Amino acid sequence: MDLLFEELKLHNPGVLKTRIPISVFLDLQKDLSETIETNRIPANTGLAGNIETELLYSPCESFKLCLTAMYEEYTRRFDYHYGKPYTLEDKAWVNLQKKYEFNPVHWHYGTVSWVAYVSIPYDLQEELNQPHVVNSIFQCASMFQFVYNKFDGGISTRNIEIDKTWEGVVMMFPAYLKHQVYPFSTSDGTRVSIAGNIRVDGVPDMLDYTFLACVGLSCVFAQTITFNTNGTGRTGSVQQYVVTGCITEITVDAYGAQGGNSNGGLGARTQ
């Protein structure tokens, strides 16, 4: 039977990687070294990493141009906010990751995020040959891992095997895409990476998209009460809403009942 098949791809932004030009990478290494030595501003309190040394960093101009070119290719290739005004955030951060330190599952604010690798101190195969790793069916020591939902609602992962060949490589992905970094254990050196975000004008942060999931807003029907209006009994129900402490503002829009007699009218409204 001779059949012609056509694949219909569902739109979804992906992950893009590129190698930083040598001249730009040398600029980046020099600029980053100066920051680490003379301008050490801790960034830990705003980050998820279980890493002792994380510093604020403002990328050099040549690397910003590289990120800008990459972002424009990203939006074009994946048709993701293509052509919209955007801002490459000046404040990035550098992770100086030591043995046994790690980054738990997290996502970023902004619209698109990037991570660049400056120095990888370990050999990936040595990491995977460690006694506590070699016989595992999920070998992930030292790896970067994306965590995402499949079409059926299940959880899937994609390991990115970060080794020495990734020095000078930058990766770009949607800010809401959850990811984590597993610890390494075979080197006393420092794994150096830089990360940052790009914001598209008018696009809400991840926090706005995940309001219900983050807040855990729940509605519990409480007791039925009786109240009087002009001496006539009426019954109604009370709803109790429980909101977690991370919310700073909530709006309640309440309407009164519509009158049912000759003198009735629309009920009062309060907000």
Side-chain angles (χ1 to χ4, degrees), residues 71-129:
Y71 172 76
E72 292 179 353
E73 171 62 19
Y74 183 95
T75 59
R76 184 199 65 78
R77 181 173 298 220
F78 296 114
D79 191 23
Y80 190 61
H81 303 298
Y82 180 67
K84 295 181 180 179
Y86 65 91
T87 301
L88 173 64
E89 291 196 339
D90 186 58
K91 293 299 182 184
W93 61 96
V94 55
N95 301 301
L96 302 178
Q97 183 181 356
K98 296 288 190 179
K99 180 191 294 186
Y100 309 132
E101 296 180 333
F102 65 96
N103 236 319
V105 176
H106 65 284
W107 64 85
H108 292 192
Y109 294 124
T111 312
V112 172
S113 299
W114 56 268
V115 57
Y117 295 94
V118 180
S119 178
I120 306 298
Y122 53 82
D123 180 273
L124 178 60
Q125 198 55 52
E126 289 182 8
E127 289 291 323
L128 300 181
N129 286 336

Side-chain angles (χ1 to χ4, degrees), residues 8-253:
L8 302 180
K9 293 184 178 295
L10 301 183
H11 179 263
N12 210 31
V15 178
L16 194 65
K17 61 176 278 195
T18 190
R19 183 163 294 278
I20 305 169
I22 293 295
S23 60
V24 176
F25 189 49
L26 291 175
D27 287 345
L28 179 61
Q29 288 177 306
K30 179 180 178 181
D31 186 64
L32 184 58
S33 294
E34 292 175 357
T35 296
I36 294 174
E37 292 174 5
T38 64
N39 191 27
R40 297 172 66 91
I41 303 176
N44 305 66
T45 56
L47 299 174
N50 285 223
I51 298 172
E52 182 177 355
T53 307
E54 296 174 303
L55 307 174
L56 292 178
Y57 174 63
S58 180
C60 58
E61 290 302 320
S62 58
F63 184 50
K64 287 181 181 178
L65 291 175
C66 179
L67 290 172
T68 298
M70 185 177 187
Y71 172 76
E72 292 179 353
E73 171 62 19
Y74 183 95
T75 59
R76 184 199 65 78
R77 181 173 298 220
F78 296 114
D79 191 23
Y80 190 61
H81 303 298
Y82 180 67
K84 295 181 180 179
Y86 65 91
T87 301
L88 173 64
E89 291 196 339
D90 186 58
K91 293 299 182 184
W93 61 96
V94 55
N95 301 301
L96 302 178
Q97 183 181 356
K98 296 288 190 179
K99 180 191 294 186
Y100 309 132
E101 296 180 333
F102 65 96
N103 236 319
V105 176
H106 65 284
W107 64 85
H108 292 192
Y109 294 124
T111 312
V112 172
S113 299
W114 56 268
V115 57
Y117 295 94
V118 180
S119 178
I120 306 298
Y122 53 82
D123 180 273
L124 178 60
Q125 198 55 52
E126 289 182 8
E127 289 291 323
L128 300 181
N129 286 336
Q130 290 295 293
H132 64 287
V133 180
V134 66
N135 294 318
S136 173
I137 61 173
F138 296 116
Q139 293 184 330
C140 52
S142 77
M143 292 187 188
F144 183 106
Q145 184 183 79
F146 287 113
V147 183
Y148 55 94
N149 289 97
K150 300 184 295 184
F151 288 159
D152 63 3
I155 301 296
S156 188
T157 60
R158 168 65 188 274
N159 287 346
I160 308 297
E161 298 183 347
I162 305 297
D163 59 13
K164 293 180 183 297
T165 65
W166 277 72
E167 293 180 347
V169 170
V170 60
M171 184 165 53
M172 192 167 281
F173 49 91
Y176 60 73
L177 182 56
K178 294 179 179 64
H179 54 283
Q180 61 183 327
V181 180
Y182 286 92
F184 62 88
S185 60
T186 62
S187 172
D188 292 323
T190 302
R191 170 172 158 158
V192 182
S193 63
I194 313 168
N197 302 315
I198 299 169
R199 294 177 183 268
V200 175
D201 293 358
V203 177
D205 275 339
M206 181 63 183
L207 180 61
D208 299 315
Y209 282 127
T210 58
F211 174 80
L212 291 180
C214 170
V215 173
L217 182 63
S218 62
C219 174
V220 180
F221 287 95
Q223 59 183 335
T224 298
I225 63 171
T226 300
F227 56 92
N228 291 320
T229 303
N230 294 328
T232 304
R234 295 287 189 270
T235 60
S237 63
V238 174
Q239 296 182 13
Q240 176 180 326
Y241 294 88
V242 180
V243 182
T244 58
C246 64
I247 294 303
T248 59
E249 180 179 350
I250 189 168
T251 300
V252 177
D253 200 0

